[in-house]
Amino acid sequence: MEKERQVIDLISDNFHLHASKIPDLSNEMSLHSLPHIMYVDSGLSCDTFNIIYIHHPDLTKEELNQALDHFQSRNLDYCMWINKENLTSNIQILFNQLKIEKQASEVGMAMQFEHYQYIENVNHLSIRQVNDRESLKVYSRVIAENWSPTDQNVITYYSRTANHYLDPNNNIKLYIYYYEDQPVSCVELFPTNSETVGFYGFATLEAYRGKGIGTTLLTFALNRAKELGYKNAILQGTEDGLNIYKKFGFKDYTTYYEFV
């Protein structure tokens, strides 16, 4: 039980840092940290990057109202995340009082690289690392085109934060899968520290799904993370990807709920 709790903390710490690190470095964005909740204002009306994260079960009504008022007074879209360990009956009562409703859920998963063996795949050669503004623009467009119409807020976000994503000191790795020379899928490796890395932004354009691209990108990311010396990998998985993640060694430890 103690080991499981430690893994849940690894997942939470990486989720927290992933949501907040880049905005905290960006002059056009703001990070607000309270004892039991943090919220990020990207400056865009986009619930992908405006995030409220409840990271402790002792959340107070005053803290929650402060976060909600921030976005509502600015008429900005936002999303709110909490894991099942922190979603106490008291917090659920607060949500009910404020008519905050659950919209989606994802499974918090983790694996240890000591149990992972490299997987060879010739299609790994189709994957390129983002290393300049032009390739970051391509990366952002692959993500943005997963919405219809294309979400221009996503492109704007990566344009505004390009210097931070490309700064080698931040150790963030972005990769794009090219299918017949077309960029069609991507993934982000985001570290908490030298031991734990999170996988984010797995996205494949709809027309290219069902071709094994996502699985190829996952094994590439796992190979790369192990090469970089990480001991733990974490991710938030949606229902349609759980079996694939489990096949390569991930186990589910918690559930993250999105509220609006």
Side-chain angles (χ1 to χ4, degrees):
M1 183 64 70
E2 178 61 27
K3 184 177 180 180
E4 182 174 318
R5 179 69 253 182
Q6 290 173 352
V7 175
I8 292 171
D9 287 344
L10 289 179
I11 297 170
S12 179
D13 290 346
N14 189 267
F15 185 99
H16 191 156
L17 191 61
H18 181 259
S20 61
K21 181 172 183 174
I22 295 298
D24 194 31
L25 293 171
S26 304
N27 293 332
E28 296 170 292
M29 305 178 188
S30 60
L31 169 65
H32 307 262
S33 296
L34 302 175
H36 309 115
I37 188 173
M38 75 89 181
Y39 54 100
V40 172
D41 182 346
S42 69
L44 303 165
S45 191
C46 179
D47 61 9
T48 303
F49 303 112
N50 293 338
I51 299 172
I52 298 173
Y53 181 46
I54 300 167
H55 53 80
H56 195 283
D58 293 337
L59 175 75
T60 66
K61 186 174 184 179
E62 291 73 22
E63 288 176 313
L64 181 57
N65 279 329
Q66 180 175 327
L68 295 174
D69 288 347
H70 176 91
F71 293 107
Q72 292 168 357
S73 66
R74 290 162 175 77
N75 196 30
L76 296 175
D77 292 335
Y78 63 92
C79 63
M80 182 187 307
W81 289 93
I82 185 171
N83 67 17
K84 69 179 181 181
E85 288 73 26
N86 291 328
L87 185 57
T88 63
S89 57
N90 287 337
I91 291 179
Q92 187 62 66
I93 289 170
L94 284 179
F95 286 177
N96 292 340
Q97 290 173 346
L98 296 169
K99 295 182 170 54
I100 297 171
E101 298 181 351
K102 184 167 66 177
Q103 176 170 278
S105 64
E106 295 181 353
V107 178
M109 310 185 79
M111 68 168 289
Q112 288 72 51
F113 280 109
E114 62 180 320
H115 306 303
Y116 176 77
Q117 299 296 320
Y118 286 97
I119 295 175
E120 300 293 335
N121 187 328
V122 66
N123 290 323
H124 288 164
L125 297 174
S126 299
I127 300 169
R128 306 175 198 170
Q129 184 173 349
V130 170
N131 52 23
D132 55 30
R133 282 182 170 270
E134 191 58 36
S135 55
L136 182 59
K137 187 175 181 180
V138 173
Y139 176 93
S140 69
R141 182 159 290 279
V142 172
I143 295 179
E145 288 180 355
N146 280 271
W147 283 268
S148 183
T150 300
D151 190 342
Q152 294 298 324
N153 283 312
V154 172
I155 296 171
T156 300
Y157 177 86
Y158 283 100
S159 175
R160 291 180 179 178
T161 58
N163 288 341
H164 307 303
Y165 277 101
L166 296 171
D167 183 348
N169 292 319
N170 289 328
N171 294 315
I172 301 169
K173 310 293 185 186
L174 307 176
Y175 297 97
I176 305 169
Y177 188 108
Y178 284 79
Y179 183 83
E180 297 179 349
D181 291 326
Q182 295 298 313
V184 301
S185 189
C186 58
V187 66
E188 172 186 353
L189 274 61
F190 182 93
T192 307
N193 48 40
S194 61
E195 293 194 350
T196 301
V197 64
F199 295 170
Y200 292 89
F202 272 117
T204 301
L205 299 181
E206 186 174 5
Y208 296 90
R209 294 171 191 167
K211 299 178 182 294
I213 291 171
T215 300
T216 300
L217 195 58
L218 174 62
T219 56
F220 173 89
L222 288 169
N223 288 356
R224 187 73 184 107
K226 185 165 185 174
E227 288 169 359
L228 291 168
Y230 293 109
K231 296 180 180 180
N232 311 294
I234 69 100
L235 57 78
Q236 281 76 47
T238 55
E239 192 67 33
D240 56 352
L242 295 185
N243 288 336
I244 294 174
Y245 299 137
K246 289 178 180 179
K247 176 182 176 181
F248 294 107
F250 282 93
K251 297 179 181 179
D252 52 331
Y253 287 90
T254 185
T255 302
Y256 276 79
Y257 300 108
E258 181 183 9
F259 285 83
V260 295

